Amino acid sequence: MDHPLRAWRDTLEELGVMGLVREPLPPSPAPEPRLEPARPAAPPRPVAPSRPVAPAPRSAAAYVPPSDPVGCPPPDVVAGAASLGELEQAIRGCLACPLGPCRIKFVFGEGDPGARLMFVGEGPGRDEDLQGRPFVGRAGELLDKMIGAIGLKRTEVYIGNVVKCRPPDNRTPTPDEARACLGYLRRQIELIQPAVIVTLGATPLRELVGVTEGITRVRGQWKRVVVGGREIPVMPTFHPAYVLRQYTQDVRRAVWADLKAAKEWVDKAAGA
Ligand code: SF4
């Protein structure tokens, strides 16, 4: 038996009225975008200078240094450098550790080649990598002030680092990287023959002097390092970047006391 509705539907169809046949629903309109209050346009980001494209080593273990004398300066060439200029010439193409291929500029160090006071930091940061000079960013400005506070100018001291190439993201150099570079720093010290070395932060104290205790514990306590058969007094103090982060009166007083002690020793050595 026919369903009564079917007959009714057929009648409507004949009349051209199709309302009983459900048409597919039109797609629902897209939701109106929510109006957010207009944000101020972000200032354009500074464009970083392009780095030389160099294959980044995947890990320190995977890095194979070159064997040529430019990429890996032989120890006898380093030891035979008779001046800081000669040493820099010999090592500025160095790729002996994984930091080399990532650098923009090699940061040898700078200052008075006959300085009585030498500062040793950890390694170049972003500003130093861009300029090829040690301690030129905010930490460098503070170091300049620290040097000025003891009555000296930056040009009257020597400033160097444990590693000459910037560690990525300013991380601490690995022990292998520090070891690969340390011979260069030691030759610098032999050539400069400072009366006193001030180490800035834990890394130079650990890598150059072999002291592994925390810097907070040992800062202000005299240590010694033997370089080229000469024993040199070492005054450990905080890195200027740490002082900027912990800009308290206690930290500033501590650094001031350390630098004052170093300067007194320099003056005493000069008078002896
Ligand atoms: S950090 Fe030192 S050892 Fe490593 S590539 Fe640079 S100069 Fe050479």
Side-chain angles (χ1 to χ4, degrees):
M1 191 173 77
D2 274 353
H3 194 283
L5 276 177
R6 178 167 297 166
W8 176 236
R9 189 192 69 177
D10 292 347
T11 308
L12 286 173
E13 279 180 353
E14 279 165 20
L15 289 170
V17 180
M18 302 298 292
L20 196 65
V21 181
R22 177 171 275 183
E23 298 284 344
L25 289 171
S28 44
E32 291 274 325
R34 286 180 58 184
L35 291 177
E36 302 276 353
R39 290 188 179 196
R45 297 182 69 174
V47 180
S50 55
R51 284 175 170 246
V53 179
R58 276 176 300 159
S59 72
Y63 183 71
V64 179
S67 54
D68 63 280
V70 173
C72 206
D76 60 319
V77 172
V78 175
S83 66
L84 290 175
E86 255 185 48
L87 179 63
E88 184 174 4
Q89 270 313 110
I91 66 173
R92 62 176 308 111
C94 177
L95 297 168
C97 86
L99 301 182
C102 303
R103 71 175 169 242
I104 295 175
K105 287 199 173 162
F106 180 83
V107 183
F108 179 72
E110 68 180 26
D112 180 355
R116 307 304 293 143
L117 183 58
M118 180 170 181
F119 290 85
V120 178
E122 179 179 286
R126 180 179 163 277
D127 295 310
E128 291 75 17
D129 191 30
L130 289 170
Q131 295 189 39
R133 297 177 56 211
F135 284 92
V136 288
R138 283 185 65 222
E141 283 171 21
L142 181 58
L143 179 61
D144 290 353
K145 284 184 190 157
M146 286 158 56
I147 294 167
I150 51 170
L152 292 171
K153 295 193 202 92
R154 184 181 170 107
T155 50
E156 292 174 312
V157 302
Y158 197 91
I159 306 172
N161 279 312
V162 170
V163 291
K164 315 279 184 230
C165 309
R166 182 193 182 193
D169 302 320
N170 295 346
R171 65 162 170 75
T172 303
T174 66
D176 282 348
E177 290 160 356
R179 209 171 304 127
C181 215
L182 200 60
Y184 305 154
L185 175 63
R186 291 181 70 89
R187 185 64 190 144
Q188 277 175 303
I189 295 170
E190 279 175 14
L191 291 165
I192 295 164
Q193 300 209 350
V196 174
I197 293 174
V198 174
T199 50
L200 302 167
T203 305
L205 187 63
R206 183 179 63 243
E207 302 300 345
L208 177 65
V209 190
V211 174
T212 54
E213 286 169 88
I215 185 68
T216 312
R217 185 182 295 245
V218 294
R219 63 132 284 275
Q221 298 173 21
W222 283 106
K223 305 288 175 194
R224 309 228 167 262
V225 65
V226 177
V227 180
R230 244 183 101 237
E231 194 177 72
I232 305 170
V234 174
M235 173 52 69
T237 195
F238 294 125
H239 193 285
Y242 173 84
V243 181
L244 285 172
R245 284 197 305 273
Q246 304 286 329
Y247 204 66
T248 64
Q249 205 171 47
D250 283 352
V251 168
R252 292 200 307 265
R253 272 198 192 130
V255 172
W256 164 241
D258 301 344
L259 294 188
K260 206 153 66 85
K263 177 65 166 49
E264 280 166 12
W265 192 280
V266 167
D267 291 344
K268 207 165 94 182

